[in-house]
Amino acid sequence: MDQKSKLLTIGQFAQLHGINKKTLMWYDEIGLFKPAVINPQNGYRCYDYHQSSILETILLLRELDVSISEIQAFMKNRSASSLQCLLSEKISDLDQQIAHLQAVRKTLCNHRQNMTTLLTMDLAEISVIQKEERCLVTVDITKETSFDRQVEMITAETQKYQLRRLHDASYGTMIPVQDLYGGNFENYSKLFIEIPFPIKKTGLHIQPGGDYIRAFHKGDWEGIPAKYQEILDYAQAHGLALSGFSYEMGINENVIDRIEDYIMQIEIPITHPSW
């Protein structure tokens, strides 16, 4: 097979790489990727099959959103070292994008689960459920902590973990169980944020896995103490002991306009001392 028989027309070469031949013409015009031969009689461009690897590198870089100017600079000084540096940078960018998409997916799954709960719940029911362990970021609050200050602290924590928006994470409030037993149903001690991607456990609050009492409250906060009394009565009637913290989280904020329709999910770890 002679050298001439190894040449491909611009149409054949474009089809081989799954692109439009106008792309090859543009790459030629800007000096990024030139054909192996241009027929002097008719100006037709022809490409050598061995140019495929170079073109595929260019197409890969374009798929990674590398700018034309960056690719041109690379092509002028093409080497294993320069390609390694460029690919390392883009792999790092890609890893960040993947992590963000995984976080978005987890957030969407949480919202979907909340909607499933809304559609199937019985507001009057108190039940026992199983939960897996999860790691929470927490900030300490007291009765004197203003709402504005709480917002500031939550915002600071979301920025610390490089969340793009507040609602990229699930968040809520915590009350120590000993305060519930003491009738202090409004003694909130912490705000929690569940970061939707893996983070180091050092310094985090570990919400234990296991059995939980779950209940729901609809309406404003004035009715929550009565709901907690119902939970305590339920636990006593079933020989259950509350432990740790109560975790409160709104589950329908994104589908309501009135506080009267607000639904709070309450989950509290339990033990079975009578077993």
Side-chain angles (χ1 to χ4, degrees):
M1 181 184 292
D2 59 24
Q3 181 67 26
K4 184 175 180 180
S5 66
K6 295 180 182 179
L7 296 177
L8 301 170
T9 67
I10 188 171
Q12 291 172 325
F13 199 66
Q15 185 177 18
L16 179 65
H17 293 278
I19 60 175
N20 192 299
K21 65 181 182 180
K22 290 183 179 179
T23 300
L24 288 173
M25 295 170 65
W26 180 53
Y27 284 172
D28 181 15
E29 290 170 4
I30 64 176
L32 179 61
F33 184 73
K34 296 253 179 215
V37 174
I38 296 180
N39 190 310
Q41 297 179 344
N42 54 27
Y44 288 172
R45 298 171 172 86
C46 293
Y47 294 83
D48 190 316
Y49 175 77
H50 296 294
Q51 291 179 280
S52 288
S53 59
I54 298 175
L55 178 60
E56 282 298 326
T57 300
I58 293 173
L59 295 178
L60 173 62
L61 295 175
R62 289 297 292 150
E63 190 172 344
L64 294 173
D65 291 327
V66 181
S67 68
I68 289 295
S69 60
E70 286 181 280
I71 298 176
Q72 287 175 320
F74 162 71
M75 293 296 291
K76 290 178 182 178
N77 299 281
R78 195 164 80 251
S79 68
S81 176
S82 61
L83 182 57
Q84 181 191 45
C85 290
L86 184 57
L87 291 179
S88 294
E89 177 186 339
K90 296 310 170 183
I91 288 171
S92 178
D93 291 342
L94 191 59
D95 286 341
Q96 292 181 18
Q97 293 176 33
I98 291 172
H100 172 66
L101 289 175
Q102 288 175 333
V104 169
R105 187 183 190 282
K106 184 171 183 180
T107 299
L108 292 177
C109 288
N110 288 340
H111 286 318
R112 182 179 63 182
Q113 181 57 51
N114 287 342
M115 295 307 102
T116 300
T117 300
L118 283 172
L119 294 171
T120 58
M121 70 167 57
D122 178 354
L123 282 172
E125 181 183 19
I126 298 177
S127 59
V128 175
I129 62 165
Q130 279 273 328
K131 287 184 68 68
E132 295 182 356
E133 178 185 289
R134 61 177 180 167
C135 299
L136 305 176
V137 176
T138 61
V139 292
D140 295 331
I141 59 172
T142 67
K143 291 181 179 179
E144 287 69 42
T145 307
S146 68
F147 178 74
D148 289 344
R149 178 57 182 154
Q150 292 181 32
V151 172
E152 288 176 7
M153 290 190 292
I154 287 290
T155 302
E157 288 300 313
T158 56
Q159 291 175 347
K160 176 180 175 181
Y161 290 94
Q162 299 181 333
L163 295 173
R164 301 188 181 191
R165 291 176 298 276
L166 176 62
H167 285 273
D168 279 350
S170 300
Y171 60 96
T173 50
M174 297 164 56
I175 304 177
V177 160
Q178 60 264 33
D179 284 314
L180 299 182
Y181 279 123
N184 301 314
F185 301 130
E186 298 177 1
N187 195 25
Y188 295 95
S189 65
K190 296 178 184 292
L191 303 175
F192 74 78
I193 311 168
E194 183 181 13
I195 305 298
F197 46 77
I199 52 178
K200 295 181 180 179
K201 293 186 178 182
T202 305
L204 298 181
H205 171 84
I206 306 300
Q207 181 181 358
D211 289 340
Y212 279 68
I213 280 183
R214 184 173 72 175
F216 301 96
H217 168 71
K218 183 177 181 179
D220 60 30
W221 280 260
E222 292 182 2
I224 291 180
K227 178 58 68 174
Y228 273 120
Q229 189 58 59
E230 287 183 39
I231 292 172
L232 289 171
D233 293 342
Y234 176 93
Q236 183 177 12
H238 291 79
L240 305 174
L242 309 183
S243 65
F245 291 86
S246 170
Y247 300 87
E248 296 182 358
M249 185 175 67
I251 62 172
N252 68 336
E253 295 167 304
N254 50 0
V255 293
I256 63 167
D257 296 315
R258 306 184 312 155
I259 190 61
E260 293 86 351
D261 297 322
Y262 183 81
I263 296 177
M264 175 78 74
Q265 177 179 274
I266 301 170
E267 295 179 338
I268 311 172
I270 58 172
T271 59
H272 304 264
S274 60
W275 287 13

